[in-house]
Amino acid sequence: MLIADPLFYAVAVPAVLLTGISKGGFGGVLGGVGVPLMALAIPPVQAAAILLPVLCLMDLVGLRAYFGKWDRPTLRIMLPGAFLGIVAGFLTFGMLSEDVIRILIGGIAVAFTINNVLGLTAHQRQAGPSVAKGTFWSAVSGLTSFLAHAGGPPAMVYLLPQRMDKVRYVATISVFFAAVNAVKLVPYAWLGQLSLDNLGTSFVLAPLVPLGVRLGIWLQDRINLVWFYRISQACLLVTGIQLVWQGGARFL
């Protein structure tokens, strides 16, 4: 049966809209808020299952807007690592605590942002592509994306120091997560997460997808490059704190 709880839709609607805005204009930096928000009303595993088809629809809308504008060499580095992370997530499904994963993801995001705010990387030159760093952070992104659709912070740790043009950055990370989410459909189905009930609820939320993505594209066109990265890093910090708080609250 479809979820009928009003509380679920009270948190699911803003979760989908924020995720769409993030995917459409800010490289998915707020993509990690979807599952935590929906998990206020339903179990996190079910929230992730409902959100995955919605994310795939968002990817299709976003790819149409940024088609051909991505950085191919960067994707050739990142995608293999992400697929390894997905395999690791599938093999360890149910073994790792979701709260521990949230704390790890959030800690990475907070540390990375504070490092930039304090100016510890201010005098470093613009980072170039790195197979080692790209594979590592992409694998972490694939793993955390599989577990909680929270692969944005690790991917940003690798991508933001390259200081790409904002359109190329958003297009690149959009293609990256489009591939990641498409691959995740297979193990999610294998694990029984894509039930008819969950898919039906995803279908109910689907009309919000184009609205959120288009709003994100509209906002991105009106923000200059400096503020784009400032906002991205601020959002990354907020997301990191949220994940640490949510994960750590279970141990308090």
Side-chain angles (χ1 to χ4, degrees):
M1 296 178 63
L2 296 178
I3 297 176
D5 184 1
L7 175 60
F8 168 75
Y9 292 100
V11 294
V13 169
V16 172
L17 287 176
L18 283 172
T19 303
I21 291 171
S22 176
K23 274 185 168 290
F26 300 95
V29 65
L30 287 178
V33 306
V35 171
L37 278 176
M38 293 170 65
L40 295 174
I42 60 175
V45 173
Q46 185 181 14
I50 291 172
L51 194 57
L52 180 56
V54 177
L55 291 175
C56 291
L57 287 176
M58 289 180 184
D59 294 330
L60 292 176
V61 176
L63 285 178
R64 182 178 179 183
Y66 295 105
F67 188 81
K69 299 176 183 178
W70 50 78
D71 190 275
R72 289 178 175 81
T74 297
L75 289 172
R76 283 196 291 267
I77 292 174
M78 295 184 68
L79 287 176
F83 298 152
L84 289 175
I86 292 172
V87 171
F90 172 68
L91 294 176
T92 59
F93 182 78
M95 296 172 57
L96 300 177
S97 166
E98 292 181 348
D99 294 318
V100 172
I101 295 297
R102 288 191 182 103
I103 293 172
L104 290 175
I105 300 168
I108 291 170
V110 171
F112 175 73
T113 308
I114 291 177
N115 182 52
N116 285 319
V117 171
L118 294 179
L120 299 180
T121 59
H123 301 294
Q124 293 181 2
R125 293 184 300 176
Q126 178 178 346
S130 168
V131 174
K133 292 181 180 179
T135 300
F136 173 78
W137 288 114
S138 298
V140 175
S141 178
L143 173 62
T144 55
S145 178
F146 182 88
L147 296 174
H149 303 320
M156 291 177 67
V157 169
Y158 175 64
L159 285 175
L160 284 180
Q162 298 185 41
R163 301 174 192 171
M164 295 180 181
D165 170 80
K166 62 181 179 180
V167 173
R168 185 156 58 102
Y169 167 79
V170 174
T172 300
I173 204 166
S174 295
V175 173
F176 174 74
F177 281 112
V180 167
N181 289 329
V183 171
K184 279 156 54 178
L185 287 170
V186 176
Y188 264 60
W190 181 275
L191 293 168
Q193 298 302 304
L194 301 181
S195 65
L196 291 179
D197 292 345
N198 288 342
L199 289 174
T201 305
S202 301
F203 181 79
V204 172
L205 296 172
L208 298 170
V209 168
L211 176 61
V213 173
R214 292 298 177 185
L215 183 56
I217 294 172
W218 182 84
L219 288 171
Q220 187 252 98
D221 287 338
R222 285 156 179 79
I223 298 175
N224 65 38
L225 185 62
V226 173
W227 278 103
F228 172 79
Y229 279 104
R230 286 178 179 175
I231 292 173
S232 294
Q233 291 182 357
C235 291
L236 181 61
L237 177 62
V238 171
T239 302
I241 293 173
Q242 175 209 15
L243 290 171
V244 171
W245 176 262
Q246 188 176 33
R250 307 288 183 178
F251 301 99
L252 296 179

